[in-house]
Amino acid sequence: MASYADDLSLAHVLADTADSISMARFRALDLHVEAKPDLTPVSDADTAVEKAIRATLARTRSRDAVLGEEYGQTEAAVGIGTRRWVIDPIDGTKNFIRGVPVWATLIALMEGDTPVVGLVSAPALGRRWWAATGHGAFAGKHTAAATPIRVSGVGRLSDASFCYSDLMGWEESGRLAPMLDIMRQTWRNRAYGDFYGYMLVAEGAVEAMVEPELSLWDVAALVPIVTEAGGRFTDLTGRPGPGGGSAVATNGRLHTEVLERLTSSGIRAL
């Protein structure tokens, strides 16, 4: 098994840089926000963070490609390889621009189609989560204050805490009825949204987090953290990994039932 310790250490360095930039702009009175062609917002903090991360990767990982939300794909400057860094400079930009502290920088390293390193840094929450294949999953303010994390052992949907982003996407995809059904059957449901629900799955605080539509940069960093914590991460078809454009992350024990309910056209009783 390949060791990704050096790459994970670099991800922390990248996150340190990102945190210093984003926190300096968080709740800034002169924060500049524009609408992208898809009408989602982008702030000057998003672009500054991604530029800084790309600059460091260009110096330290010139053989790796980079994909970022704001500036797209950049091929490796030296050689042709299978490694690619995937960056979301600020996941939760709408929260960021409104002064809500639930946002994070997402940093992933992929080998081919597989995320092998993932780091999520939420400086306004004072928390960071990270994992690498074969290294386990951890959370804390920094590596010197790290705690191993693990998904929960809850095995019944009626005992589960269920998490999602919002209901609009499920309505647009024609899956609102099964979403409402699963929400009625679970012990508790909350729309924590964005990266945060997935990290709560990895920590064992909730049992499932689902989203119907995502881009690769939204999800690549989350996969190693959930799976190294003992959970499962697939798209709505049940395919593992981040490439399916949707996400179902669970503690593993409830994964099959959650998938079945979300893809069912009918409503079942528990």
Side-chain angles (χ1 to χ4, degrees), residues 40-260:
T40 59
V42 57
S43 72
D44 57 62
D46 293 80
T47 54
V49 167
E50 185 166 325
K51 285 178 180 178
I53 291 176
R54 285 176 175 271
T56 300
L57 288 173
R59 295 192 303 270
T60 61
R61 293 293 190 272
S62 59
R63 296 182 180 275
D64 298 346
V66 180
L67 172 66
E69 179 176 7
E70 307 308 333
Y71 295 105
Q73 175 91 6
T74 301
E75 300 303 328
V78 180
I80 300 174
T82 61
R83 290 166 46 106
R84 176 173 55 163
W85 293 85
V86 181
I87 310 299
D88 188 341
I90 296 181
D91 184 56
T93 298
K94 292 178 181 178
N95 281 348
F96 183 89
I97 64 178
R98 289 298 302 272
V100 178
V102 185
W103 50 270
T105 296
L106 312 185
I107 301 169
L109 172 63
M110 297 184 67
E111 289 270 14
D113 296 328
T114 303
V116 294
V117 170
L119 186 147
V120 172
S121 186
L125 297 178
R127 195 149 178 84
R128 189 176 289 188
W129 300 261
W130 62 92
T133 301
H135 290 264
F138 299 85
K141 289 187 176 181
H142 45 73
T143 54
T147 302
I149 55 176
R150 192 74 182 170
V151 297
S152 79
V154 172
R156 287 173 51 87
L157 198 61
S158 58
D159 297 328
S161 186
F162 179 75
C163 189
Y164 59 101
S165 51
D166 61 52
L167 294 178
M168 186 177 298
W170 295 98
E171 184 175 25
E172 292 172 349
S173 65
R175 290 193 169 103
L176 182 59
M179 265 294 288
L180 293 176
D181 174 46
I182 198 170
M183 290 166 66
R184 294 185 187 103
Q185 308 303 339
T186 52
W187 170 67
R188 193 168 190 259
N189 62 83
R190 288 292 184 272
Y192 296 113
D194 300 313
F195 72 94
Y196 195 42
Y198 301 95
M199 298 302 94
L200 293 175
V201 171
E203 290 187 334
V206 305
E207 280 64 58
M209 170 68 184
V210 299
E211 287 187 272
E213 186 176 0
L214 292 161
S215 297
L216 184 60
W217 48 75
D218 295 316
V219 69
L222 313 177
V223 175
I225 299 172
V226 171
T227 56
E228 285 290 312
R232 284 186 64 188
F233 202 118
T234 73
D235 63 14
L236 281 165
T237 70
R239 182 175 63 175
S246 59
V248 178
T250 74
N251 66 350
R253 299 185 66 180
L254 296 175
H255 203 87
T256 298
E257 183 174 5
V258 170
L259 270 180
E260 288 177 350

Side-chain angles (χ1 to χ4, degrees), residues 13-64:
V13 172
L14 297 173
D16 289 341
T17 299
D19 289 355
S20 65
I21 296 170
S22 59
M23 284 301 291
R25 301 301 294 149
F26 184 49
R27 294 175 175 161
L29 296 179
D30 62 343
L31 183 71
H32 181 66
V33 181
E34 295 180 343
K36 293 190 286 190
D38 63 0
L39 301 182
T40 59
V42 57
S43 72
D44 57 62
D46 293 80
T47 54
V49 167
E50 185 166 325
K51 285 178 180 178
I53 291 176
R54 285 176 175 271
T56 300
L57 288 173
R59 295 192 303 270
T60 61
R61 293 293 190 272
S62 59
R63 296 182 180 275
D64 298 346

